[in-house]
Amino acid sequence: MEFLRLIHGYQFDTAAAQLFPTPYALATLVLFIWSLAPAIKAHVGRGFMAWLRLTWALTLIPGVTGVILALGGEKVPSATRAGADVLRERCGQDGDLSRYCFPVDPSRNWEHSMYAALCLLTLYIIEVLVQGRLIKAQTALRLLPVATLFLYGCAYMIGRVAVVPGSTPGS
């Protein structure tokens, strides 16, 4: 289980984590920036498609490990009270705090799952847009940056809700 937690919960520990807290958020940010070229040129290149496939992999790896952890009873760190030894070591105090020294917010667990589901749905919509099957390819590619920006926002929030409590800590 510890290996699954390591894979699922990897986060960057740098100042850049404010922009992209996880490798998945970084991949979606790159996908958003890259989506501007197909929107302008009205053509999708091989590089973009390769990066899209990598983004799918970076979605499914933590997604599958997250489902396995959830079936094992795990919840996101912001929804789970840390042990007393962890609190004393990291936070220097005891109380109803997560391992990141924030108040526990159980509602973040469902929010984390919601953003993950939105990412899967958005990736599917991006695939439909790139293939141009639902609407004309030129129109679809113009919508591509909007979809990839939404994907980046959801990927960013996946990492954020796992760490930071929401507006209802303790509920």
Side-chain angles (χ1 to χ4, degrees):
M1 282 302 247
E2 194 59 39
F3 180 68
L4 292 178
R5 276 189 217 102
L6 178 70
I7 292 172
H8 182 77
Y10 182 80
Q11 293 189 337
F12 294 123
D13 193 21
T14 64
Q18 294 294 324
L19 186 58
F20 43 87
T22 62
Y24 179 52
L26 176 60
T28 59
L29 178 61
V30 171
L31 190 70
F32 163 65
I33 293 168
W34 207 329
S35 74
L36 298 173
I40 294 168
K41 295 180 185 177
H43 172 73
V44 178
R46 285 185 175 176
F48 180 83
M49 292 305 293
W51 196 263
L52 182 59
R53 299 298 178 259
L54 176 67
T55 305
W56 268 107
L58 288 173
T59 303
L60 295 176
I61 291 170
V64 169
T65 57
V67 168
I68 293 169
L69 288 169
L71 291 174
E74 297 281 324
K75 294 185 183 330
V76 296
S78 63
T80 308
R81 185 184 187 285
D85 55 334
V86 173
L87 289 176
R88 278 191 292 276
E89 180 183 318
R90 287 189 174 188
C91 309
Q93 60 183 341
D94 286 332
D96 199 21
L97 301 174
S98 70
R99 71 177 181 188
Y100 296 106
C101 304
F102 292 118
V104 174
D105 188 0
S107 67
R108 293 301 240 185
N109 197 51
W110 289 106
E111 207 173 333
H112 187 74
S113 301
M114 176 195 68
Y115 284 119
L118 284 172
C119 283
L120 286 171
L121 179 64
T122 306
L123 275 170
Y124 177 73
I125 290 170
I126 290 170
E127 288 284 345
V128 169
L129 289 173
V130 167
Q131 293 172 3
R133 292 189 181 177
L134 205 55
I135 55 179
K136 288 189 336 185
Q138 188 176 15
T139 306
L141 292 180
R142 286 195 178 133
L143 295 173
L144 194 58
V146 175
T148 55
L149 180 61
F150 181 77
L151 176 65
Y152 165 67
C154 289
Y156 176 82
M157 288 305 292
I158 287 173
R160 181 170 170 77
V161 302
V163 175
V164 182
S167 61
T168 58
S171 63

